[in-house]
C-alpha cells in the first residue's frame, strides 16, 4: 500500500535554470540530490504556458470521450514503423500484464520524405492525429515543442549537478533528442477485478534519460523507494520528473532509474501526459566516467536486467523494450 506522503520527493523551483541566471547552480545541486535520493523530483517555476496545458487537457478529454470505433481510426496498427497512434484499454503490457489504460503515442513529426523515415528507421515518421478534433494536432505539436525546450534546460541542470559542462548531454546525445509523448486515460478499475489488472501501469522504469510528466488532479502515481511504495500526488502547475535507465547507466547507478506504477483509485477517469526526453536513436550510450565502481541493482530491478551490462545505441535498447510491451505489433514493425 502506498503511503500518502511525498516528503521524499523534492519540489524544486527551476526558474533560475530556465532563465539562465547564476542561481541555476543551486537549482542543479537540488536536482542532483533528488536524482540520487529517489530518482524523482517535482518542478515548479518551469514557465510552461498554463493555457497550453489547459488546451492539451481539453483536446485529450474530447478524444477519449469518443466511441471506440472512432478512436480506432488512428489505431497504432496504422502507424507502421513510426509506432504512433491509439491503443485501447489492455493494449499495452508494461510488465507482462495488460495495463488498465488507453492511450496515444506521438513523437517528432517527420514527413515521409525525411531521410530517416525513407530509410525505414523504427520510431520515426509522421504522427496520427484525429481528423474530427480541429485543435488536436497543433496543440500536441505546441506541447511537444514546449516540453522539448524544458527537457534541454533540465538536462543542462543535470549536467551541472554532475560537475559536467552544461552542454555535456546536448553535445553527445540530445542535440536531436528522441522524443516520445504519450497521452494516457486510466479508467476506474471495475468492482469485480478477477480477470482484470487494477494497475493502470504496472511496475517499470523508464528507458531513456528524463521523463517530464503532467498528471491531472486524480492522483494514482506511486514510486518505489527503498522497497516501499510512496505516492507522488498531483501538485497544481507542477511536473513530476524522473530519470530513466540511460542516465542510471551513464552515472554508474549514482542517479537512480526508479520503479513506478499507477493505480487509479479516484473513482473517475485519470489523464496523464508523460513526455520522454531521450538520447538520439543512433547514439551509443556510454558511462560518463569509465572505471568507476558501478552500483549494480539488477537483482532488485523489475525486469532483472542490467542497464550497466547493456552495450549499443539507445535505439537498440528502446526497441528491445517496446517490442515487449506491444507484442502484437512487433512483427509488423521490425
Ligand atoms: O501516468 C503516469 O502518471 C505515469 C506513466 C508512466 O509511468 C509511464 O508512461 O512511464
Amino acid at each position: 500500500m502506498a503511503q500518502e506522503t511525498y516528503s521524499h520527493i523534492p519540489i524544486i523551483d527551476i526558474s533560475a535554470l530556465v532563465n539562465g541566471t547564476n542561481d541555476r547552480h543551486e537549482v542543479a545541486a537540488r536536482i542532483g540530490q533528488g536524482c540520487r535520493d529517489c530518482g524523482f523530483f517535482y518542478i515548479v517555476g518551469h514557465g510552461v504556458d498554463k493555457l497550453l496545458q489547459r488546451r492539451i487537457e481539453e483536446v485529450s478529454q474530447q478524444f477519449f470521450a469518443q466511441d471506440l470505433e472512432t478512436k480506432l481510426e488512428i489505431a497504432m496498427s496504422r502507424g507502421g514503423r513510426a509506432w504512433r497512434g491509439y491503443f485501447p484499454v489492455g493494449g499495452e503490457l508494461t510488465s507482462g500484464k495488460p495495463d488498465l489504460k488507453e492511450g496515444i503515442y506521438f513523437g517528432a513529426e517527420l514527413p515521409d520524405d525525411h531521410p530517416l523515415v525513407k530509410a525505414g528507421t523504427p520510431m520515426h515518421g509522421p504522427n496520427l492525429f484525429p481528423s474530427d478534433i480541429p485543435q488536436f494536432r497543433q496543440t500536441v505539436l505546441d506541447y511537444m515543442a514546449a516540453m522539448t525546450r524544458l527537457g534541454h534546460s533540465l538536462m543542462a541542470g543535470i549536467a551541472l549537478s554532475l560537475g559536467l559542462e552544461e552542454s555535456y548531454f546536448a553535445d553527445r546525445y540530445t542535440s536531436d533528442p528522441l522524443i516520445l509523448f504519450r497521452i494516457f486515460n486510466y479508467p476506474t478499475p471495475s468492482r469485480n477485478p478477477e480477470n482484470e489488472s487494477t494497475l493502470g501501469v504496472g511496475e517499470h522504469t523508464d528507458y531513456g534519460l528524463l521523463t517530464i510528466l503532467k498528471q491531472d488532479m486524480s492522483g494514482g502515481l506511486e514510486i518505489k523507494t527503498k522497497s516501499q511504495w510512496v505516492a507522488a500526488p498531483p501538485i497544481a502547475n507542477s511536473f513530476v520528473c524522473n530519470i530513466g535507465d540511460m542516465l542510471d547507466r551513464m552515472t554508474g547507478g549514482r542517479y537512480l532509474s526508479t520503479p513506478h506504477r499507477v493505480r487509479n483509485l479516484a473513482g473517475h477517469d485519470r489523464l496523464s501526459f508523460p513526455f520522454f526526453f531521450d538520447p538520439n536513436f543512433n547514439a551509443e550510450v556510454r558511462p560518463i566516467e569509465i572505471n568507476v565502481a558501478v552500483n549494480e541493482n539488477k537483482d532488485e530491478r523489475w525486469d532483472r536486467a542490467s542497464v550497466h551490462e547493456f552495450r549499443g545505441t539507445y535505439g537498440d535498447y528502446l526497441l528491445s523494450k517496446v517490442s515487449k510491451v506491444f507484442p502484437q505489433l512487433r512483427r509488423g514493425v521490425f
Side-chain angles (χ1 to χ4, degrees):
M1 189 69 179
Q3 299 198 348
E4 285 308 315
T5 172
Y6 50 92
S7 56
H8 303 285
I9 310 174
I11 303 170
I12 305 175
D13 182 336
I14 61 158
S15 44
L17 193 59
V18 172
N19 299 326
T21 59
N22 281 343
D23 295 350
R24 68 190 188 287
H25 294 274
E26 281 153 43
V27 174
R30 293 205 62 204
I31 290 176
Q33 188 77 43
C35 292
R36 286 187 298 274
D37 289 350
C38 68
F40 269 77
F41 54 95
Y42 290 90
I43 55 167
V44 294
H46 45 70
V48 177
D49 185 14
K50 278 191 186 166
L51 183 59
L52 176 59
Q53 295 188 57
R54 213 168 44 237
R55 276 169 50 209
I56 193 86
E57 280 178 345
E58 282 168 6
V59 293
S60 305
Q61 278 158 356
Q62 279 176 47
F63 178 80
F64 290 115
Q66 301 178 110
D67 58 43
L68 183 61
E69 200 185 341
T70 310
K71 291 187 271 195
L72 285 171
E73 282 170 15
I74 58 158
M76 282 185 94
S77 53
R78 300 185 178 184
R81 296 175 79 82
W83 211 280
R84 308 285 165 85
Y86 171 77
F87 67 89
V89 173
E92 184 168 14
L93 287 72
T94 298
S95 48
K97 291 199 193 106
D99 292 333
L100 189 54
K101 71 175 190 305
E102 58 183 334
I104 324 175
Y105 270 54
F106 305 96
E109 174 72 353
L110 298 180
D112 283 328
D113 62 356
H114 186 283
L116 287 172
V117 184
K118 273 169 73 181
T121 317
M123 325 256 343
H124 292 70
N127 288 295
L128 298 179
F129 294 110
S131 55
D132 55 339
I133 304 175
Q135 291 307 312
F136 196 103
R137 178 179 191 278
Q138 198 53 50
T139 304
V140 166
L141 295 179
D142 290 350
Y143 189 83
M144 289 198 293
M147 288 299 110
T148 303
R149 282 193 294 276
L150 187 57
H152 282 294
S153 297
L154 285 164
M155 288 313 300
I158 288 175
L160 287 178
S161 78
L162 288 161
L164 305 167
E165 70 270 29
E166 253 160 303
S167 61
Y168 181 91
F169 294 104
D171 292 346
R172 292 162 180 78
Y173 298 105
T174 58
S175 62
D176 179 18
L178 188 78
I179 58 163
L180 294 178
F181 175 46
R182 298 166 184 174
I183 305 180
F184 291 147
N185 183 52
Y186 298 87
T188 317
S190 68
R191 280 168 194 269
N192 181 14
E194 262 169 43
N195 299 318
E196 177 187 277
S197 168
T198 52
L199 284 177
V201 178
E203 175 178 350
H204 67 286
T205 52
D206 293 344
Y207 312 141
L209 282 175
L210 174 72
T211 306
I212 309 171
L213 172 82
K214 173 179 168 57
Q215 55 175 333
D216 75 6
M217 295 310 280
S218 306
L221 174 63
E222 298 172 354
I223 73 169
K224 199 178 192 179
T225 58
K226 301 184 178 63
S227 304
Q228 188 186 29
W229 287 103
V230 174
I235 299 177
N237 199 22
S238 73
F239 293 91
V240 181
C241 297
N242 64 283
I243 64 155
D245 293 346
M246 291 302 102
L247 199 57
D248 193 319
R249 166 172 172 69
M250 286 180 194
T251 60
R254 278 184 293 156
Y255 281 18
L256 300 165
S257 175
T258 300
H260 49 287
R261 68 182 185 189
V262 173
R263 291 185 305 160
N264 178 13
L265 304 176
H268 52 76
D269 285 10
R270 169 185 191 265
L271 274 182
S272 79
F273 307 84
F275 178 86
F276 302 87
F277 185 88
D278 291 341
N280 182 275
F281 191 82
N282 293 314
E284 195 173 327
V285 179
R286 296 201 177 90
I288 293 167
E289 287 175 61
I290 314 292
N291 298 332
V292 77
V294 166
N295 178 16
E296 179 60 88
N297 66 348
K298 73 174 170 185
D299 294 338
E300 293 132 49
R301 270 178 65 95
W302 62 289
D303 56 0
R304 303 282 182 270
S306 170
V307 296
H308 306 291
E309 285 166 9
F310 163 76
R311 299 283 177 276
T313 63
Y314 180 56
D316 296 332
Y317 189 75
L318 184 62
L319 292 180
S320 72
K321 295 286 182 184
V322 289
S323 60
K324 289 198 182 100
V325 298
F326 285 108
Q328 77 286 13
L329 285 178
R330 180 172 35 199
R331 234 170 302 128
V333 172
F334 305 116

